[in-house]
Amino acid sequence: MAERSHEPGQSDTGAAPNSRAETAAHLRHLLETEGEAIHTQTSVSNYRRAQAYDETDNLDALRTEARAIKEDAIDRLPELIETVRDAVEANGGTVYLADDAADANAYVADVVEDRAGTDGSEAATGSEESGAGDGDRNRPSVVKSKSMTTEEIDLNDALEADGIDVTETDLGEWVLQVADDTPSHIVGPAMHLTREEIADLFVEQFDPDVEFDTPEALTKFARDHLGEHIQDADVGITGANFVAADSGTIALVTNEGNARKCAVTPDTHVAIAGVEKLIPSVRDLEPFVDLIAKSATGQPLSQYVTMLSPPTNSPTVDFESPDEPLGGDDGTAGANRDREFHLVLLDNGRTDMREDDQLRETLYCIRCGACSNSCANFQSVGGHGFGGETYSGGIATGWEAGVHGQDSAAEFNDLCTGCTRCVDACPVKIDIPWINTVVRDRVNRDDDPEAYDFLVDGLTPDDEPDGFDLGKRFFGNIATVTKLGSATAPVSNWLGDTELVRSLLERTLGIDRRRDLPTFERRSLVDWFAARGGERESRRRAAAAGPEDRHSELDREVVLYPDIYTNYVDTDRGKAAVRTLEALGVPVSVPDLPESGRAPLSQGMVATADRQASRVYAALAEDLDAGRDVVVIEPSDLAAFQREYERFLPERSFERLRDNSYEICEFVFGLLENGADPDALSTGDGDSSGDGDRDGDGNRSIAYHSHCQQRTLDLEEPTTTLLERCGYAPRTSSVECCGMAGSFGYKREYYEVSMDVGDRLAREFDHGGTDLVVASGTSCGDQLEALLERDVPHPIEVLAPGSTV
């Protein structure tokens, strides 16, 4: 097997990364050793989930219902704990509320040793280990099904330290136990290993007489081996996907039968669950059982849905007489065993999370792993890069900060780029990017001062305290940097290309010298528009564009939002938007407006983003009062207006801006739908678009990549439809993310991850036989231009009157 890093958040040398270079080396190691397997597995899960979601007619209603149940359960948590205690005890079981990991582990160890009738520490004396789960048979023995909660408290290590043999019975978890490895995914713990690597591991550890040439052969070997341990175990330990408080019913949702066997075969069953797994009643299980398989693996339903109200007296196989029918001749065999059941409910920080308005949503998580699968960065490095002490993927930041502390979350938090695709994937609609942003903000405020922070203390135009990462502060104030770069162009562009400056930027700010820097325009879009005659000239051009009756039908006026990139770097796309709107009879204004707050928000600078939201709304309030539409070119800024501002603005203010802001291609498509003439635009039918590849109908082929935020706002389709209306044959990318993600792709520690993600997109477009590639987002265009070594304009630049693209 390839050398692996067994501890999430550690470098390949085994030490926790404490510098950008070490983090980069750790992630590069994972890209090389685990990336391909992770990407293959997550891609399959994503495809299946998307298909399952598409085939579910009432999906949104199910997700809404599931979230409402979780919200209610967390609200009523103290009450539900008492309810489930009464129900389990009435059924003959025991409920133990564990404060923390040590408390839970000590309780479980006492149960095992008491049930086995031995003192584990004495039994351990002189024992000989012979592989995972193959210790001295005189020692107490436990079989376990997969449980992230037991991973969280390091139960296996604690029990083994007390002289208790522990055998994982989930195939993936057992593979990791044999390999002395750690899970890389909440649902698929061994996702980072290939079948060939697992086969080699089994041969090395067990020297079997069978060939592991098929998955079935591996599975049969594991089933036979683990079956013996389940038969002989003193105690079976499971987690619980859900616990119905009213009846004490434990729900286990799995694709292997091992969890059910662990629960009912040994005479003692211990279920360990976080307190957040409680739901009010069995009736509340329905939406979760429907959703969890779809979101986790894309299955219509999991293979095993087991509901137990233990201690169960259900008859089980008599291993001494396996051919005897269940229940025996009198139907009572197995029904009178002296069975014990213990439900261990774990707090371990969850009560504090419940009281934390920003982390509370984490407790709604049903551990499906959909956020991991949907994340482009996770697809490259897996949970050993995008994870902490226990949990991995997008939701891991909330869990790690809540149960292990902010330091654990800080190790990987910056791998979340806030694209929000995980929100669409999450079956309970958790705003995972916001949780990541909040934790990032808290980490920023707890960081020690950087060596170079004296350069900016008291001078930065933000609302953040002194002393956090200088690179984050730089990118969070990129509007000021960009404005300065434009004011000093072309000198700023020349300096940015010198080796001395690139070395300084890399050393102080962590900007990778391999990444091309933006080229600043000396004249901003706002200045260009003013010099052109401003709003008065735009009205004249719009009025001259066509018949008066057409204008009266449209009757729109637009404020074009000049995002920092459009205003100072790629002014051509801003000019193209102005010309397009005027050609369709819509007058435009391009005022000098504040930065949206998207940049500081991406760095976890919540206070600054809050201030910027208020400034933007104040600057636009008069236009909104006048009924003008706000049109945005950069999708991430539109996402701020339509999503993040809900957390910063009064409800009515947020709704006004949300309901009256549009993405440029969405708005143009709306104009065409309401009577505007598409002939006013450049088309792909050969009249004005130049030479290029054509489809069978003579329409010009075009490859289109939409920004992540554009997809989550459901705005990809308006652009493709608009291109079709204008005589183009668009082909969209199946790869959802370009990997650049604003500042993420510039950072030294993440450069390789960014390029790995982007290369998937570039390969798809490069091999597609299309000469024209367009992208909606700033980052997307920059990344594709670097990878494809060609110009990648915004779609509006292709459609604008007089376009030569």
Side-chain angles (χ1 to χ4, degrees):
M1 293 174 62
E3 179 187 356
R4 297 188 183 279
S5 168
H6 296 312
E7 294 295 330
Q10 291 191 350
S11 68
D12 53 336
T13 61
N18 56 20
S19 72
R20 292 187 177 106
E22 289 178 354
T23 299
H26 171 57
L27 294 176
R28 188 183 311 116
H29 175 72
L30 293 174
L31 284 168
E32 293 170 353
T33 58
E34 301 181 2
E36 185 175 353
I38 291 287
H39 182 252
T40 298
Q41 295 292 338
T42 54
S43 295
V44 171
S45 295
N46 276 332
Y47 174 78
R48 289 176 175 170
R49 184 191 69 250
Q51 191 173 42
Y53 276 11
D54 287 344
E55 293 172 354
T56 305
D57 293 336
N58 60 337
L59 177 66
D60 191 63
L62 279 172
R63 295 174 71 206
T64 300
E65 181 185 4
R67 181 181 175 89
I69 292 169
K70 291 295 288 185
E71 287 178 345
D72 176 60
I74 299 304
D75 279 344
R76 297 167 50 197
L77 192 54
E79 169 197 335
L80 295 184
I81 290 173
E82 293 309 311
T83 299
V84 77
R85 187 192 302 275
D86 292 344
V88 170
E89 290 178 352
N91 202 37
T94 302
V95 174
Y96 184 76
L97 183 61
D99 291 334
D100 54 24
D103 189 14
N105 291 336
Y107 180 84
V108 175
D110 286 346
V111 169
V112 175
E113 290 166 3
D114 179 67
R115 193 61 177 175
T118 64
D119 182 330
S121 58
E122 293 177 2
T125 305
S127 66
E128 296 181 1
E129 297 292 345
S130 58
D134 289 332
D136 189 331
R137 294 298 176 147
N138 293 320
R139 298 168 59 175
S141 61
V142 163
V143 287
K144 281 180 71 259
S145 65
K146 182 163 70 68
S147 162
M148 290 304 298
T149 306
T150 61
E151 290 280 348
E152 176 188 321
I153 62 177
D154 292 322
L155 177 66
N156 290 14
D157 290 344
L159 294 181
E160 287 164 359
D162 278 350
I164 298 169
D165 283 336
V166 181
T167 302
E168 295 284 356
T169 62
D170 172 83
L171 178 57
E173 287 286 359
W174 183 57
V175 167
L176 297 184
Q177 187 179 30
V178 172
D180 190 25
D181 204 347
T182 55
S184 61
H185 191 279
I186 291 175
V187 173
M191 183 180 283
H192 58 291
L193 299 174
T194 65
R195 180 176 63 81
E196 290 75 18
E197 288 175 320
I198 295 172
D200 290 344
L201 173 68
F202 282 4
V203 169
E204 177 185 339
Q205 292 292 323
F206 301 108
D207 191 25
D209 1 349
V210 296
E211 294 289 333
F212 295 132
D213 50 356
T214 65
E216 290 75 18
L218 283 170
T219 304
K220 183 179 185 305
F221 174 80
R223 183 186 64 199
D224 293 344
H225 182 93
L226 296 174
E228 297 177 9
H229 288 273
I230 294 172
Q231 174 182 337
D232 296 335
D234 296 304
V235 174
I237 296 178
T238 70
N241 292 95
F242 308 97
V243 180
D246 64 342
S247 61
T249 301
I250 307 297
L252 300 170
V253 185
T254 66
N255 279 324
E256 299 176 30
N258 62 299
R260 183 180 297 178
K261 292 176 183 177
C262 289
V264 302
T265 303
D267 287 335
T268 300
H269 173 205
V270 178
I272 305 175
V275 291
E276 83 285 354
K277 297 296 186 70
L278 287 168
I279 57 175
S281 71
V282 172
R283 291 188 301 275
D284 295 314
L285 278 171
E286 184 177 354
F288 298 106
V289 172
D290 198 346
L291 284 167
I292 193 167
K294 291 180 172 70
S295 56
T297 58
Q299 296 169 274
L301 196 68
S302 292
Q303 293 187 29
Y304 297 93
V305 179
T306 302
M307 290 189 288
L308 306 170
S309 297
T312 176
N313 284 329
S314 301
T316 57
V317 173
D318 181 353
F319 288 102
E320 298 300 322
S321 305
D323 295 328
E324 291 292 324
L326 292 178
D329 294 335
D330 59 1
T332 61
N336 295 317
R337 291 188 303 162
D338 180 20
R339 292 184 56 76
E340 280 188 18
F341 172 69
H342 299 261
L343 172 61
V344 179
L345 292 174
L346 178 69
D347 189 323
N348 203 34
R350 287 161 172 80
T351 296
D352 290 338
M353 292 169 69
R354 178 175 176 266
E355 299 303 316
D356 187 325
D357 289 342
Q358 307 299 345
L359 292 186
R360 184 186 181 98
E361 265 195 285
T362 307
L363 298 174
Y364 304 163
C365 172
I366 63 172
R367 310 282 181 83
C368 68
C371 59
S372 298
N373 297 335
S374 66
C375 175
N377 290 337
F378 186 95
Q379 292 167 21
S380 286
V381 299
H384 290 159
F386 201 147
E389 293 184 38
T390 303
Y391 298 102
S392 60
I395 196 63
T397 289
W399 281 119
E400 290 293 320
V403 305
H404 293 311
Q406 281 183 193
D407 287 347
S408 178
E411 291 289 333
F412 62 92
N413 173 258
D414 285 343
L415 277 163
C416 172
T417 61
C419 71
T420 70
R421 286 181 296 131
C422 55
V423 180
D424 287 347
C426 177
V428 287
K429 301 183 178 181
I430 299 173
D431 193 347
I432 296 169
W434 178 252
I435 294 172
N436 279 275
T437 299
V438 167
V439 172
R440 193 170 302 168
D441 179 71
R442 295 176 182 181
V443 169
N444 288 343
R445 294 169 184 273
D446 287 348
D447 276 353
D448 292 328
E450 286 277 327
Y452 298 95
D453 210 46
F454 70 90
L455 295 173
V456 295
D457 283 355
L459 300 176
T460 50
D462 59 45
D463 287 0
E464 310 303 321
D466 299 337
F468 67 85
D469 183 86
L470 188 57
K472 289 185 179 181
R473 174 157 257 157
F474 174 87
F475 283 112
N477 289 288
I478 198 67
T480 300
V481 175
T482 306
K483 187 173 184 178
L484 179 62
S486 174
T488 57
V491 175
S492 57
N493 297 323
W494 174 79
L495 285 173
D497 283 338
T498 63
E499 183 61 28
L500 176 63
V501 170
R502 293 312 305 265
S503 176
L504 181 65
L505 290 175
E506 186 171 84
R507 188 167 67 253
T508 60
L509 303 179
I511 299 175
D512 198 288
R513 70 182 68 195
R514 291 166 290 183
R515 179 68 72 182
D516 292 336
L517 298 178
T519 301
F520 299 111
E521 294 285 346
R522 177 69 173 184
R523 185 164 71 167
S524 69
L525 177 67
V526 170
D527 290 342
W528 168 84
F529 185 78
R532 182 174 175 260
E535 190 174 347
R536 176 179 296 180
E537 174 62 15
S538 182
R539 288 184 180 280
R540 186 193 68 79
R541 290 172 181 257
E548 180 63 29
D549 59 344
R550 190 179 73 194
H551 304 319
S552 62
E553 287 176 7
L554 299 175
D555 194 25
R556 316 294 292 193
E557 293 184 7
V558 159
V559 177
L560 186 68
Y561 179 73
D563 63 88
I564 56 176
Y565 191 85
T566 302
N567 199 21
Y568 297 114
V569 179
D570 189 3
T571 58
D572 284 345
R573 68 179 188 174
K575 296 172 185 177
V578 170
R579 294 199 310 273
T580 299
L581 293 170
E582 290 172 345
L584 296 175
V586 178
V588 181
S589 64
V590 188
D592 190 5
L593 295 172
E595 191 271 332
S596 70
R598 165 59 64 181
L601 197 64
S602 71
Q603 308 306 311
M605 297 165 61
V606 175
T608 302
D610 190 351
R611 181 197 66 183
Q612 291 302 107
S614 296
R615 288 183 173 181
V616 169
Y617 183 79
L620 288 171
E622 185 176 340
D623 291 300
L624 293 172
D625 288 342
R628 299 185 182 97
D629 300 305
V630 179
V631 172
V632 185
I633 297 175
E634 178 57 41
S636 59
D637 289 302
L638 183 68
F641 295 170
Q642 297 197 350
R643 299 179 86 145
E644 280 79 19
Y645 276 22
E646 184 174 13
R647 299 182 182 273
F648 300 137
L649 298 178
E651 182 178 2
R652 177 58 183 150
S653 299
F654 164 69
E655 290 174 350
R656 289 183 71 205
L657 182 55
R658 179 198 62 194
D659 296 343
N660 293 282
S661 57
Y662 305 87
E663 190 268 339
I664 179 62
C665 289
E666 171 199 19
F667 190 80
V668 171
F669 175 68
L671 293 177
L672 298 187
E673 287 289 282
N674 285 278
D677 185 3
D679 291 340
L681 307 181
S682 292
T683 64
D685 60 7
D687 292 339
S688 57
S689 61
D691 295 330
D693 300 318
R694 305 277 169 178
D695 70 359
D697 296 324
N699 296 320
R700 186 177 182 187
S701 298
I702 187 171
Y704 167 56
H705 177 70
S706 61
H707 190 280
C708 291
Q709 300 281 6
Q710 195 169 19
R711 292 178 189 241
T712 57
L713 291 171
D714 293 326
L715 294 178
E716 181 181 60
E717 186 176 355
T719 302
T720 56
T721 307
L722 174 62
L723 289 168
E724 290 170 351
R725 287 280 298 272
C726 292
Y728 291 90
R731 176 171 60 89
T732 57
S733 56
S734 62
V735 178
E736 292 192 5
C737 185
C738 71
M740 187 67 180
S743 63
F744 179 82
Y746 285 101
K747 295 177 181 178
R748 180 183 179 189
E749 59 267 46
Y750 304 123
Y751 176 81
E752 278 90 357
V753 177
S754 171
M755 296 301 283
D756 184 71
V757 174
D759 189 57
R760 300 176 208 146
L761 176 61
R763 286 200 307 269
E764 180 175 304
F765 278 169
D766 206 27
H767 298 155
T770 302
D771 69 312
L772 180 57
V773 178
V774 295
S776 295
T778 298
S779 302
C780 312
D782 287 349
Q783 180 83 309
L784 284 168
E785 285 185 349
L787 290 165
L788 297 176
E789 298 182 336
R790 67 172 98 166
D791 289 336
V792 178
H794 190 284
I796 201 66
E797 295 179 70
V798 175
L799 298 172
S803 172
T804 58
V805 176

